[in-house]
Amino acid sequence: MHPSAYSLALRYAAALCLAVYLVRQVKKPDRFAGRLFAWLMNGSHASLTDWALAHLEVPEGATALDVGCGGGRTINQLAAKAAQVYGIDYAAGSVAASRAHNQGLIVEGRVHVAQASVSQLPFAEGTFDLVTAIETQYYWPNVQRDMMEILRVLKPGGRLMVVAENYKGARNDAVLGPVMKLLGSSRLSMDDHRALFQAAGYEGVEIAEEWRRGWICAIGTKPAA
């Protein structure tokens, strides 16, 4: 092979490896470079998170859980009202970033962050008043079963909020849809979200949409009895 062609092939191979690595970091940040990605998520998801939390009442003194806590900003937002906030993430990089972002609250004993899967939450039945899941449901192993696992740890009358910045049929679907497919993510329409909540055992499902930005927020309540 001609040296220039060989060099070009190496460059393409390196670019491909880098692209694969970056895609994996978005889905599951590792303990090293992934901490940077988790920190960047705090900024990139800030407007989406603030918009979503405006649709969810956080009772004073509540116990809350953030599933897929990423860089830890949502934990910090919840702690403004909740007495105790727990965060879990299956990625070591996200756990490290969340702990760093909330170090003061962890020292106070008000925030707790652990590495765990949504499929097997390390909490007793009926622990939480509310659970948030922002930009993470895409990657759950079994979405309906995992939502039922969240239902288990909610108190009767407790609420789950799922938030995404892309969904099937969204304004930005033509652009973000192929990217989400590359990440191996599930993509649901508004009707799919409602049906999923109901199938998992939630009631009173509410869905808010920010069409201009392609955002969706779905909230369901655990039956009181």
Side-chain angles (χ1 to χ4, degrees), residues 95-108:
V95 171
S98 285
R99 286 174 175 166
H101 189 77
N102 293 282
Q103 185 176 9
L105 291 169
I106 291 173
V107 171
E108 292 177 17

Side-chain angles (χ1 to χ4, degrees), residues 11-200:
R11 291 177 185 176
Y12 278 123
L16 178 61
C17 290
L18 178 60
V20 170
Y21 176 75
L22 293 176
V23 166
R24 288 179 176 175
Q25 290 305 305
V26 170
K27 187 173 182 179
K28 187 177 182 180
D30 62 31
R31 193 170 183 82
F32 301 101
R35 293 185 64 174
L36 173 61
F37 278 81
W39 177 79
L40 290 172
M41 288 178 193
N42 280 341
S44 63
H45 295 164
S47 296
L48 170 67
T49 302
D50 294 344
W51 170 80
L53 288 176
H55 294 83
L56 180 69
E57 180 182 357
V58 181
E60 293 286 346
T63 301
L65 169 66
D66 186 38
V67 172
C69 55
R73 184 179 182 274
T74 302
I75 291 175
N76 193 269
Q77 297 289 95
L78 292 171
K81 288 189 176 180
Q84 294 286 320
V85 183
Y86 292 75
I88 66 108
D89 204 293
Y90 77 153
S94 294
V95 171
S98 285
R99 286 174 175 166
H101 189 77
N102 293 282
Q103 185 176 9
L105 291 169
I106 291 173
V107 171
E108 292 177 17
R110 294 187 52 227
V111 164
H112 318 268
V113 182
Q115 186 169 2
S117 169
V118 63
S119 300
Q120 192 172 4
L121 296 171
F123 306 107
E125 182 176 340
T127 299
F128 300 102
D129 297 288
L130 61 96
V131 176
T132 56
I134 298 175
E135 286 291 276
T136 179
Q137 187 195 39
Y138 307 120
Y139 312 121
W140 293 356
N142 185 309
V143 180
Q144 182 172 328
R145 189 187 307 155
D146 296 337
M147 289 186 67
M148 293 172 68
E149 173 66 356
I150 293 175
L151 189 73
R152 179 185 68 80
V153 303
L154 277 171
K155 297 176 182 178
R159 309 179 83 193
L160 165 64
M161 180 176 74
V162 170
V163 182
E165 64 179 349
N166 177 252
Y167 55 95
K168 190 181 295 183
R171 180 184 181 185
N172 58 11
D173 197 30
V175 176
L176 293 183
V179 176
M180 301 310 294
K181 185 176 182 179
L182 178 64
L183 291 170
S185 65
S186 61
R187 292 171 54 252
L188 306 175
S189 68
M190 292 181 66
D191 288 340
D192 290 338
H193 277 89
R194 187 181 301 279
L196 178 63
F197 269 84
Q198 293 171 341

